[in-house]
Amino acid sequence: MDNDVDRRGNKSIDTDSLAQEDDRAEQRAKLFLPVGEKVNGFIINEDEEDGPQLVEEIESLCMNCEKNGITRLLLTKIPYFREIILMSFYCDHCHFKNTEVQAAGEIQERGSKYSLKMDQLPDMERQIVKSDSATFRIEDLDLEIPAGRGRLTNVEGILADILKDLEDSQKRRKQEDPGLFAKIDVIVQSLLQMMIGHRFPYTITMDDPAGNSWIEPSPLDASGKYSRNEYARTPEQNAALGLGTGESEPEVDNEAVAAERKKLGMVGDVVPTYVDGAAMDGVDIIDGQMYTLPCHCPGCAKSADMNITMVQIPYFKQVILSAIVCTHCGYRTNDVKTGGEFPVKGQRIWLDVENSTDLSRDILKSETCCLKIPACSVEVQPGTMGGRFTTVEGLLTQIRDDLRGSIFDVDDVDSSGGDSMPNKQKQAWDDFFHKLTQAIRGEMKYTILMEDPLANSYVQSFTAPEPDPQIRTEEYDRTVEEEEDLGLTDMRTHMNADGVYVKEDQTDSSAVAQSLAQEPTANKDGVSAATSTAYESASTTTTANASQSEGPQPSTENLSVDDKPAINPNAAATIGS
């Protein structure tokens, strides 16, 4: 189903440009090799000045003394990640030195955001690639490093750099601004406690609109410890990255498009109808009819077309399939959306996969669905992979291939993972992929759980309309966090007699209207009575929680190996988004 949607592009993609792109990719693969492969077989010959060089040296201007220094460049590739350029500058005159890292590849099609919950000292050794467009945050301190100089380091290194930058001017601040000194000193002491492991757990995040930053995952991570999410860039982010085009959308002749499709021999009788996005209001979408809307390509930000069509899934509901095909850069993507009103409750669906026949079941995973396969240690968090309408086999294959492409390089045929992957970690990934491959081939029995707060996910029943013994469903009440994430907490959908939109549970229209119109009464301190009461209540709750947290914490020393997940299920979901 996904491939069919992908192939319905209304314009042809230049095959010559795609072939040139393949050639460039092959040349790039030869230039950017892991350090181990570059050093392997490299013979140092001081007499041979014109021979191959492991590190390129370029004479460049020193920005400190304005004399010439030496810049050294190393083109390499990081396991789990992609090609980078390591740069080091040193001036023999003033002894000024500087190091930096830059992404050697192109700007990625989507931005990426990483999150890591630090809860043990070995997490300090995880590698970090921070590009010049990435923002690094320590969420517990509300401390942020804005976009700037790129760097290749680990968690301990980046925390040490932050600590050093804050401590450099503390003596001057203590004399000039004691208040600012005291505030920064609190952060400095907190960072020291974090670095020596006395303030676990805490969370670090890195957000890069260019998608060229990275935090190292581990196959031993528990669920919820590590996550990676991809997102579509905003027009402002595209402009900041230099991707804005500002070009106007061309007018499209539907008859000319139909003639072009016939000339190209494109299969199918469905001819897309071009509709201006602003003119979609009041348009009745017909089942099976394809509509094309103008949009901007997420990859190159140039003009592209989005094809949409509505499909009726038997015994379920109507869904809208969408696909974007860019004729400029070849970017292709597809998504599925469900319509209708928000259900009162969420839904859980269990599917027992018992043989290879079950792999052919149609499955719809909405973008709000959390998919779990406990037997394979897989967990796909909501918001990752988007919406997918495919088969069970197709969904698992996509999870496996996307994750393998992130952990091992695409051209890494033997899945060696590079020279820097520990053997224990490589074995854990091998075991994970082996078990997932068995599930794809139908060589093992397992259960798929889909938990969707909007009840927009679906699994095909082989016995419909009769109940399928291998499918179980259950409705559940959404949590407060799910309500807030979906934007349902503050949604006002009912209009009362006074013409004011209110929530469903606000039945007293006169009281609601009066509360909206009434100004808050301030006390002698200038704080409204409602705010003062809420503050006192929050303070009481915080004090109670603090007193409870002083007690003994639950220990995990007595947990058996089976109680601890051996593979990072969240990584399988988020890295493959």
Side-chain angles (χ1 to χ4, degrees):
M1 180 67 69
D2 292 340
N3 293 334
D4 293 338
V5 175
D6 266 347
R7 296 191 184 99
R8 292 177 181 173
N10 55 294
K11 297 181 182 179
S12 62
I13 299 176
D14 190 358
T15 56
D16 294 337
S17 62
L18 294 179
Q20 295 176 2
E21 180 65 24
D22 293 338
D23 293 339
R24 288 194 294 267
E26 184 178 353
Q27 295 175 2
R28 187 165 59 245
K30 295 179 180 179
L31 287 175
F32 295 91
L33 295 174
V35 176
E37 294 185 21
K38 282 200 169 188
V39 177
N40 186 25
F42 185 81
I43 301 176
I44 299 178
N45 188 353
E46 297 180 354
D47 298 333
E48 187 180 353
E49 297 181 355
D50 297 334
Q53 299 293 324
L54 183 63
V55 178
E56 300 291 336
E57 294 186 355
I58 302 175
E59 186 176 356
S60 55
L61 178 66
C62 175
M63 304 306 296
N64 188 41
C65 66
E66 298 186 354
K67 295 182 180 180
N68 286 339
I70 298 296
T71 297
R72 293 176 174 84
L73 304 176
L74 174 63
L75 285 66
T76 184
K77 181 167 51 177
I78 298 180
Y80 315 108
F81 194 50
R82 56 178 65 92
E83 302 91 348
I84 63 169
I85 300 176
L86 298 177
M87 296 183 293
S88 174
F89 175 81
Y90 181 75
C91 179
D92 293 328
H93 305 282
C94 65
H95 304 292
F96 174 76
K97 59 182 179 180
N98 184 32
T99 58
E100 190 173 346
V101 60
Q102 286 188 357
E106 68 278 0
I107 295 176
Q108 304 305 306
E109 298 168 351
R110 298 167 65 88
S112 60
K113 183 175 182 179
Y114 292 83
S115 175
L116 174 64
K117 184 178 180 180
M118 305 284 295
D119 54 13
Q120 55 183 342
L121 283 176
D123 291 336
M124 291 288 183
E125 302 175 1
R126 299 200 185 210
Q127 279 191 328
I128 286 182
V129 177
K130 180 184 178 298
S131 72
D132 53 4
S133 60
T135 300
F136 180 87
R137 284 182 56 86
I138 305 176
E139 299 295 340
D140 299 69
L141 300 179
D142 197 20
L143 182 63
E144 177 177 307
I145 301 179
R149 181 172 65 92
R151 62 183 70 179
L152 171 62
T153 179
N154 55 17
V155 176
E156 182 181 7
I158 200 168
L159 294 182
D161 290 342
I162 298 174
L163 185 62
K164 180 178 180 298
D165 292 340
L166 291 176
E167 287 182 330
D168 280 346
S169 303
Q170 277 294 81
K171 293 182 179 180
R172 178 172 54 84
R173 294 192 192 100
K174 188 174 183 180
Q175 297 177 354
E176 298 177 357
D177 193 342
L180 180 61
F181 166 82
K183 294 179 180 179
I184 294 181
D185 187 63
V186 174
I187 299 178
V188 169
Q189 297 302 321
S190 299
L191 283 173
L192 287 173
Q193 295 296 315
M194 288 179 174
M195 292 187 65
I196 62 179
H198 289 177
R199 194 167 170 172
F200 288 138
Y202 57 92
T203 302
I204 61 174
T205 60
M206 187 155 53
D207 189 349
D208 187 2
N212 286 325
S213 295
W214 171 75
I215 297 179
E216 179 184 1
S218 171
L220 304 178
D221 287 339
S223 175
K225 178 180 175 69
Y226 177 93
S227 66
R228 175 197 175 201
N229 293 299
E230 294 186 350
Y231 60 88
R233 286 186 290 267
T234 63
E236 293 76 13
Q237 290 173 330
N238 279 328
L241 295 173
L243 296 178
T245 58
E247 61 184 39
S248 59
E249 302 292 346
E251 295 184 359
V252 182
D253 186 356
N254 288 330
E255 296 182 359
V257 172
E260 182 68 15
R261 289 174 58 88
K262 184 176 180 181
K263 179 180 178 181
L264 295 174
M266 299 185 70
V267 180
D269 299 330
V270 179
V271 178
T273 301
Y274 280 81
V275 183
D276 184 6
M280 283 297 293
D281 294 339
V283 175
D284 293 332
I285 300 180
I286 304 173
D287 286 356
Q289 175 64 42
M290 185 186 299
Y291 300 86
T292 300
L293 302 176
C295 65
H296 287 91
C297 173
C300 64
K302 295 183 179 180
S303 297
D305 292 330
M306 175 186 291
N307 297 331
I308 64 173
T309 184
M310 186 166 63
V311 177
Q312 176 69 46
I313 299 180
Y315 306 104
F316 187 53
K317 61 176 68 174
Q318 289 179 329
V319 298
I320 296 179
L321 304 177
S322 63
I324 297 177
V325 179
C326 180
T327 58
H328 301 282
C329 66
Y331 175 82
R332 305 163 74 92
T333 185
N334 58 80
D335 199 0
V336 57
K337 302 286 186 182
T338 55
E341 62 182 5
F342 287 119
V344 178
K345 296 184 177 183
Q347 185 184 53
R348 295 186 181 97
I349 303 176
W350 288 270
L351 170 63
D352 296 327
V353 180
E354 298 181 351
N355 49 55
S356 57
T357 305
D358 295 323
L359 299 176
S360 61
R361 292 178 185 260
D362 289 337
I363 185 171
L364 170 61
K365 189 201 81 67
S366 72
E367 59 184 353
T368 59
C369 172
C370 176
L371 185 143
K372 301 179 182 180
I373 309 177
C376 300
S377 300
V378 171
E379 181 175 338
V380 181
Q381 294 294 328
T384 57
M385 294 180 64
R388 287 292 180 267
F389 184 30
T390 176
T391 61
V392 174
E393 180 182 5
L395 185 62
L396 297 185
T397 301
Q398 183 177 7
I399 294 174
R400 182 197 61 184
D401 293 347
D402 289 349
L403 182 58
R404 182 181 289 276
S406 299
I407 300 304
F408 305 112
D409 296 316
V410 177
D411 56 345
D412 191 1
V413 180
D414 58 351
S415 298
S416 62
D419 56 285
S420 63
M421 179 180 288
N423 292 332
K424 181 179 179 181
Q425 195 171 13
K426 179 181 178 299
Q427 184 61 44
W429 285 119
D430 289 340
D431 294 341
F432 170 79
F433 287 120
H434 176 70
K435 186 175 293 186
L436 191 55
T437 300
Q438 284 184 316
I440 294 173
R441 295 174 178 173
E443 298 175 355
M444 58 178 290
K445 296 182 179 181
Y446 54 93
T447 300
I448 297 176
L449 167 61
M450 294 196 298
E451 185 173 309
D452 194 340
L454 293 182
N456 283 334
S457 296
Y458 159 83
V459 175
Q460 180 186 8
S461 172
F462 285 162
T463 62
E466 299 298 327
D468 193 321
Q470 295 178 227
I471 299 177
R472 306 186 307 276
T473 60
E474 174 189 71
E475 291 186 343
Y476 71 95
D477 295 326
R478 287 186 288 263
T479 63
V480 177
E481 291 76 12
E482 289 175 334
E483 294 276 351
E484 292 179 352
D485 292 340
L486 296 172
L488 301 178
T489 304
D490 300 322
M491 185 176 294
R492 302 172 183 267
T493 57
H494 287 64
M495 180 181 292
N496 59 15
D498 299 326
V500 179
Y501 279 101
V502 297
K503 300 179 183 179
E504 294 184 12
D505 55 350
Q506 293 177 334
T507 55
D508 191 352
S509 60
S510 60
V512 173
Q514 183 179 0
S515 63
L516 292 176
Q518 183 180 1
E519 293 291 336
T521 304
N523 56 22
K524 62 180 181 180
D525 296 326
V527 181
S528 66
T531 304
S532 178
T533 304
Y535 177 79
E536 294 174 359
S537 176
S539 301
T540 305
T541 304
T542 303
T543 304
N545 292 337
S547 63
Q548 294 174 3
S549 63
E550 294 176 358
Q553 299 298 320
S555 174
T556 60
E557 295 178 355
N558 297 326
L559 289 179
S560 64
V561 177
D562 295 336
D563 294 330
K564 299 178 182 179
I567 302 297
N568 176 12
N570 197 38
T574 56
I575 293 179
S577 60

